[in-house]
Amino acid sequence: MKGMGSKTKKRLLSAGIFLVLFAAECLIALYVHDRLVRPYVGDMLVVILLYFFVRILFPEGFRLLPLWVFLFAAAVEISQYFHLAALLGVEHIRAARLILGATFDWKDIGCYGAGCLLLAGIEKLAGQGMTGWRRDKI
């Protein structure tokens, strides 16, 4: 990693974390059928996954990213209340159902909030933000 710029290092680290979380989410979706990990931990991890995806694209300078990720996730959840997939006529497409979801649940919003609070807490404890982002640039 010597000779690489700071942004490139941050992007690579974020990409690595993203890939690990993506693999974990896939394993949970395919093999875990319980009442704790799949519905709650999976929903917490999905916002952390989104956070690191955004950090690949914008390694610096994205203020309050955990809040923005939460608002996005909550908006997707609320769209489920209004049956957005059906309104768009894509409810029969598996990928659309997976991305947009099918059923609204307040517990999902709570899990998204918990995941984003965890991210915000880690950023605060790190003092520089996740994986080395300066606090004044987050």
Side-chain angles (χ1 to χ4, degrees):
M1 285 203 162
K2 200 171 192 173
M4 263 191 241
S6 167
K7 284 186 180 183
T8 302
K9 288 179 186 176
K10 291 173 188 173
R11 281 189 170 109
L12 287 174
L13 182 56
S14 293
I17 295 169
F18 171 82
L19 290 173
V20 168
L21 290 173
F22 184 75
E25 284 283 22
C26 288
L27 291 172
I28 289 170
L30 293 171
Y31 300 110
V32 180
H33 305 288
D34 66 351
R35 293 183 178 188
L36 176 68
V37 174
R38 186 174 178 138
Y40 299 108
V41 176
D43 283 347
M44 284 179 61
L45 285 179
V46 77
V47 292
I48 298 170
L49 176 82
L50 285 170
Y51 173 94
F52 282 102
F53 179 76
V54 173
R55 282 294 181 210
I56 294 168
L57 303 172
F58 304 99
E60 297 176 344
F62 206 125
R63 260 180 85 68
L64 304 174
L65 184 55
L67 173 64
W68 291 111
V69 168
F70 171 75
L71 292 174
F72 174 77
V76 169
E77 190 68 27
I78 291 167
S79 77
Q80 294 171 15
Y81 178 80
F82 295 104
H83 307 286
L84 181 63
L87 290 172
L88 297 174
V90 296
E91 72 276 8
H92 63 284
I93 301 171
R94 184 166 160 65
R97 280 195 326 267
L98 181 66
I99 293 167
L100 296 175
T103 57
F104 173 82
D105 191 343
W106 282 107
K107 288 182 255 177
D108 290 348
I109 292 177
C111 290
Y112 303 150
C116 289
L117 284 173
L118 179 64
L119 281 169
I122 291 169
E123 282 188 345
K124 185 173 175 96
L125 285 175
Q128 298 180 60
M130 294 296 294
T131 61
W133 287 282
R134 285 191 23 219
R135 207 58 200 134
D136 61 339
K137 294 202 175 199
I138 296 176

